[in-house]
Amino acid sequence: MDIGIENGKIVKIAPRIKGRARDVIDAMGRLTSPAFIEPHIHLDKVLTSERVRASESGTLQEAIEILWDAKRKYSVQDVKRRARQIIELEALNGATRLRTHVDVDTIGGLTACRALLELKKNYADIMDVQVIAFPQEGILLDEGAEELMRKAMEMGADVVGGMPHAEMTRELSMKHVDILFDIAREYNADIDAHVDETDDPSSRCMEYMAAKTIENGYQGRVTADHVCALASYDDCHAEKVIRLLKLANITVETNPETNLVVQGRLDTYPKRRGLTRVKELVQSGVNVTYGQDCVSDAFYPFGKADLLQTGFVLSLAAQMTAPSEIEAVFDMITINAAKAMRIIPEYGIQVGKRADLVIIDAANVSDALRLQPDRLWVIKEGRVIAENRSSRKLLRHS
Ligand SMILES: [Zn+2]
């Protein structure tokens, strides 16, 4: 098919479009997809691993504490210098939209938030950035965080983040969720919160959040990240929670790379994988996305902001290896992420939609995940924003 683009929009799709264009790309039949969406990354924390001590336990809690000192020393310049490198990598790897969490707490204050809001403006030509005000240290546990959350929203943060399982008791976790909905309604903002990011089967924030979503008429406006505890519930309770997620139209966002590394750390054997019940959620019709989460920080030493690499890891970790399951994984960073961000009216390869495309040097989705090949062209609003050409050569001597 030819794809005709004018004024940043797709205007025609046909086997052969006649006429002249200012620029013509011959994609040579390569896989062309709507540009990727990175739904979950922490740009304030990226590339900090060299300045912090190594984790002894490898647990989530220790990583959070390791970062306290680094957070105290954040400057706007420092956060921008690190974050911009990852925004550029995400674009080179095929994404034109990205959601980043930013810690909002009494340790680092609003410095990182200010930095990411500035980058959001500076990088609008290659990346639509949404900033999530994220109370990493809890809200009731961190006195003053609630006020900072409201300040972050005033400054221009787009989405309300959360971390209810961090609170001391189940009652306080519920209170945390109530506050999230209060702030979200005050600013008419969506919610994208870390929920039950733990192996603890008694962590039960998800079902309460689903109930509050329905009570507040927030169906379709809430994303729950990680949701690891769902994998540790007994099957009967898990079935109930999955049913509630569907009923409340909540998106579940999974972070396979970090979850594999951070969860299950206190297990001996059998050792849990830490991911939520990805396959069962997909089969139940829950909207599922995945993201990079971390790049070279106290939580995770790797990550190259390449959603095809993360998708490959997810396929392994969630055992989604049948052809239809591989397609489902690819949907998570395209159409499913677009649903979560509520941009479906402008997203996709159809006439009238925004021309955000990635042309991948692969014949099909399975090869895209298997080989993670060059993103030959990345297009945002009709303009080429990135080109990649790797060169390899084999020298035979027989
Ligand atoms: Zn996260």
Side-chain angles (χ1 to χ4, degrees), residues 60 64 134 136 162-169 173 176-177 193-198 203-205 225-227:
L60 179 73
I64 291 171
F134 172 47
Q136 168 83 85
M163 183 87 176
H165 52 286
E167 304 294 351
M168 281 188 281
T169 65
S173 294
H176 180 122
V177 171
H194 292 61
V195 182
D196 297 328
E197 185 185 358
T198 169
S203 187
R204 298 285 170 99
C205 302
D225 312 318
H226 295 283
V227 201

Side-chain angles (χ1 to χ4, degrees), residues 40-42 45 101 134 136 194 197 225-226 253 255 258 293-294:
H40 188 119
I41 195 159
H42 294 260
K45 294 175 176 136
H101 294 262
F134 172 47
Q136 168 83 85
H194 292 61
E197 185 185 358
D225 312 318
H226 295 283
E253 193 278 336
N255 299 292
T258 322
D293 199 13
C294 301

Side-chain angles (χ1 to χ4, degrees), residues 178-196:
D178 292 344
I179 293 169
L180 300 189
F181 278 96
D182 287 346
I183 300 173
R185 290 179 59 150
E186 275 168 52
Y187 294 91
N188 190 22
D190 289 0
I191 293 174
D192 189 324
H194 292 61
V195 182
D196 297 328

Side-chain angles (χ1 to χ4, degrees), residues 26-308:
D26 181 2
M28 299 166 292
R30 300 297 200 285
L31 175 65
T32 300
S33 161
F36 300 153
I37 300 172
E38 168 63 81
H40 188 119
I41 195 159
H42 294 260
L43 286 178
D44 51 337
K45 294 175 176 136
V46 295
L47 307 174
T48 51
S49 60
E50 278 178 14
R51 66 177 72 173
V52 296
R53 72 168 171 83
S55 175
E56 281 162 34
S57 67
T59 59
L60 179 73
Q61 190 54 36
E62 186 174 347
I64 291 171
E65 290 172 18
I66 283 173
L67 262 176
W68 288 348
D69 200 38
K71 260 202 295 204
R72 264 179 219 113
K73 293 176 189 148
Y74 276 170
S75 70
V76 170
Q77 272 320 103
D78 162 51
V79 174
K80 280 169 76 172
R81 187 184 54 76
R82 290 181 288 102
R84 88 160 48 96
Q85 295 175 57
I86 302 305
I87 293 177
E88 290 173 7
L89 265 183
E90 290 273 8
L92 282 163
N93 290 328
T96 59
R97 292 176 171 95
L98 166 162
R99 244 187 198 185
T100 178
H101 294 262
V102 60
D103 283 20
V104 170
D105 54 50
T106 60
I107 301 169
L110 294 166
T111 305
C113 185
R114 192 164 296 126
L116 294 188
L117 286 169
E118 282 180 26
L119 281 189
K120 175 188 162 121
K121 264 193 207 140
N122 296 345
Y123 274 88
D125 60 326
I126 62 165
M127 189 72 67
D128 287 3
V129 175
Q130 288 189 359
V131 176
I132 308 169
F134 172 47
Q136 168 83 85
E137 313 293 338
I139 294 179
L140 300 142
L141 205 55
D142 182 27
E143 212 187 315
E146 186 179 346
E147 197 190 332
L148 287 170
M149 291 276 289
R150 285 198 169 78
K151 278 195 182 144
M153 297 307 291
E154 294 288 341
M155 281 163 64
D158 305 276
V159 179
V160 177
M163 183 87 176
H165 52 286
E167 304 294 351
M168 281 188 281
T169 65
R170 193 182 294 192
E171 289 68 28
L172 292 168
S173 294
M174 288 158 81
K175 216 169 159 190
H176 180 122
V177 171
D178 292 344
I179 293 169
L180 300 189
F181 278 96
D182 287 346
I183 300 173
R185 290 179 59 150
E186 275 168 52
Y187 294 91
N188 190 22
D190 289 0
I191 293 174
D192 189 324
H194 292 61
V195 182
D196 297 328
E197 185 185 358
T198 169
D199 298 314
D200 178 1
S202 63
S203 187
R204 298 285 170 99
C205 302
M206 194 65 261
E207 66 232 47
Y208 184 70
M209 209 153 154
K212 292 303 283 188
T213 299
I214 294 165
E215 188 186 313
N216 283 284
Y218 252 58
Q219 294 95 327
R221 300 187 66 178
V222 175
T223 296
D225 312 318
H226 295 283
V227 201
C228 306
L230 179 61
S232 292
Y233 297 160
D234 66 61
D235 289 343
C236 188
H237 187 65
E239 187 275 332
K240 175 189 164 181
V241 173
I242 292 173
R243 203 158 20 86
L244 288 175
L245 283 163
K246 180 84 171 69
L247 198 63
N249 194 11
I250 290 176
T251 292
V252 172
E253 193 278 336
T254 185
N255 299 292
E257 292 182 63
T258 322
N259 289 161
L260 279 172
V261 167
V262 172
Q263 305 302 328
R265 283 279 179 166
L266 304 176
D267 290 355
T268 54
Y269 286 91
K271 201 182 264 295
R272 282 168 285 188
R273 291 169 188 235
L275 274 74
T276 191
R277 300 192 185 213
V278 178
K279 199 190 276 210
E280 292 74 9
L281 287 162
V282 171
Q283 283 166 352
S284 303
V286 174
N287 192 47
V288 178
T289 65
Y290 71 80
Q292 170 73 71
D293 199 13
C294 301
V295 176
S296 189
D297 60 17
F299 301 81
Y300 184 63
F302 308 119
K304 57 176 193 179
D306 183 349
L307 287 163
L308 290 183

